[in-house]
Amino acid sequence: MKALMLTKTEGPGSVELQDIDQPTPAPGEVRVALRAASLNYRELWISRGQYPGMKLPSGLGADGAGVIDAVGAGVDSTHVGREVVLYPGQGWGDNPKYPSKHFALYGMPLPGTLAQCICVPLENVLDKPASLSFEEAACLPTAGLTAWRALRVKANLISGETVLITGIGGGVAVAACVFAVAMGGKVFVTSSAEEKIRRAEQLGAAGGVVYKQDKWGKALGKLAGGIDVVVDGAAASSLSQYVRCLNMGARVVIYGSTGGVDAQFSTPDLFLRHATILGTAMGTPTDFREMIAFVAHHRLRPIIDKRFPLAQTRDALLALESSHDMGKIVVSMS
């Protein structure tokens, strides 16, 4: 079968589409003939060797959707033919608060979804929502799961609360916008461009500010008033701007470090507001099941930025690096 492999860490241009042996499902596993996968920035970091526990060669890709075409011992053959979406990791463990030391994602160190087939434990597949295409379903695992856990589990968003989502355009931010609107939140966003704010408004956001303008936090305060929940992937550059917009009891959920790792802010702006800073990354299998059920119930549709065939996955990675706009970049296996 064809699979995207990383054999050297010289950036996204160094990945190779190779012929490798088709995997056979072990006991308790199913083989999924993948129809689509989506990209995340972790693929770029891995391609540069900027990821803990690097090992080569390695497959790439954590997100995927497809059809079960074979089962291992102990798995009922009636699962063959199921259209499924994959939970993107293994080994979270028994504590829902944080993953175990054995938690690992597909696409390094586990086999990747940027391939024609992958074998996974039966419990790692969920039925694909009927309202979604394989490409749309493949957008959900990593970005959707991270956004869902930030809003539902960490922040415990309540309908009617005001939400700030920073850096609209990225996969997690777009998913958070769609989810928060469906949860009844009044959503505001930040972006590098007015055009992305307008597109967020088409998804249900109430408005936003361009973070390139000086002291954009003041503009946000005038526009949104107080903020109850923040979903932030770039706290190093944004926390000091919006901290004075926080309402009493606000929850700030940080899921990434785009723009740096060191944040400076006035601590009284937090503790005098009884605000909380929470960290999050990925989510449990239970979080994933609840997120997929929520998407199916509300018939939500992930936003796709660009589409590429598997043979052009290198170009897809380069597009993610240089020309990513709004939503997810998807790779189709057909």
Side-chain angles (χ1 to χ4, degrees):
M1 71 172 188
K2 299 288 185 182
L4 192 75
M5 302 297 294
L6 181 70
T7 58
K8 52 188 176 182
T9 53
E10 298 178 1
S14 62
V15 299
E16 300 176 1
L17 191 64
Q18 297 182 355
D19 289 306
I20 65 172
D21 292 338
Q22 187 180 61
T24 299
E29 289 188 338
V30 298
R31 187 175 66 205
V32 179
L34 291 159
R35 297 291 187 264
S38 72
L39 303 184
N40 297 286
Y41 280 102
R42 76 181 291 267
E43 277 84 67
L44 296 179
W45 300 333
I46 291 170
S47 74
R48 302 187 188 103
Q50 299 171 337
Y51 205 80
M54 286 291 302
K55 66 175 185 178
L56 297 177
S58 177
L60 290 178
D63 299 350
V67 180
I68 295 175
D69 71 350
V71 299
V75 180
D76 197 305
S77 62
T78 57
H79 289 287
V80 173
R82 281 179 62 195
E83 297 183 349
V84 296
V85 57
L86 276 59
Y87 174 70
Q90 295 181 24
W92 179 279
D94 297 328
N95 192 332
K97 294 182 178 180
Y98 51 82
S100 75
K101 64 180 180 180
H102 303 294
F103 184 61
L105 297 182
Y106 296 120
M108 215 291 297
L110 301 175
T113 58
L114 290 165
Q116 291 177 313
C117 290
I118 189 171
C119 290
V120 302
L122 176 62
E123 59 266 26
N124 271 58
V125 299
L126 290 181
D127 288 336
K128 178 182 72 66
S131 58
L132 300 183
S133 68
F134 285 109
E135 291 181 335
E136 290 170 329
C139 294
L140 290 172
T142 298
L145 180 57
T146 300
W148 174 265
R149 186 172 173 88
L151 290 165
R152 182 65 89 196
V153 179
K154 294 289 186 170
N156 190 24
L157 176 63
I158 299 170
S159 178
E161 289 188 312
T162 300
V163 183
L164 171 64
I165 299 169
T166 65
I168 196 68
V172 176
V174 172
C177 180
V178 172
F179 290 165
V181 170
M183 292 174 188
K186 184 178 182 181
V187 177
F188 293 88
V189 301
T190 70
S191 178
S192 60
E194 287 284 355
E195 179 184 356
K196 290 185 180 181
I197 294 174
R198 302 289 85 80
R199 293 182 67 182
E201 290 173 346
Q202 294 172 3
L203 298 177
V209 296
V210 175
Y211 61 69
K212 290 184 177 181
Q213 64 177 293
D214 189 38
K215 297 181 179 179
W216 58 262
K218 290 186 177 181
L220 175 67
K222 292 179 181 179
L223 177 67
I227 301 294
D228 299 301
V229 170
V230 181
V231 179
D232 192 355
S237 58
S238 60
L239 179 55
S240 62
Q241 290 282 347
Y242 62 70
V243 69
R244 292 189 178 180
C245 300
L246 298 178
N247 283 333
M248 295 293 288
R251 292 87 74 201
V252 177
V253 187
I254 298 172
Y255 67 88
S257 56
T258 302
V261 297
D262 296 321
Q264 294 184 351
F265 57 92
S266 171
T267 54
D269 287 331
L270 279 176
F271 69 75
L272 292 178
R273 289 174 169 82
H274 294 258
T276 305
I277 294 180
L278 302 152
T280 196
M282 302 298 294
T284 69
T286 297
D287 296 335
F288 189 65
R289 286 192 294 271
E290 291 176 350
M291 183 264 291
I292 294 295
F294 184 85
V295 168
H297 176 74
H298 291 275
R299 299 183 69 84
L300 303 179
R301 305 188 75 88
I303 307 303
I304 295 176
D305 180 14
K306 298 179 179 68
R307 295 172 170 85
F308 292 83
L310 180 61
Q312 295 177 16
T313 306
R314 181 184 298 176
D315 294 334
L317 287 166
L318 293 172
L320 179 64
E321 181 179 50
S322 62
S323 61
H324 178 235
D325 184 24
M326 187 87 169
K328 297 284 286 182
I329 292 179
V330 173
V331 173
S332 174
M333 309 309 166
S334 59

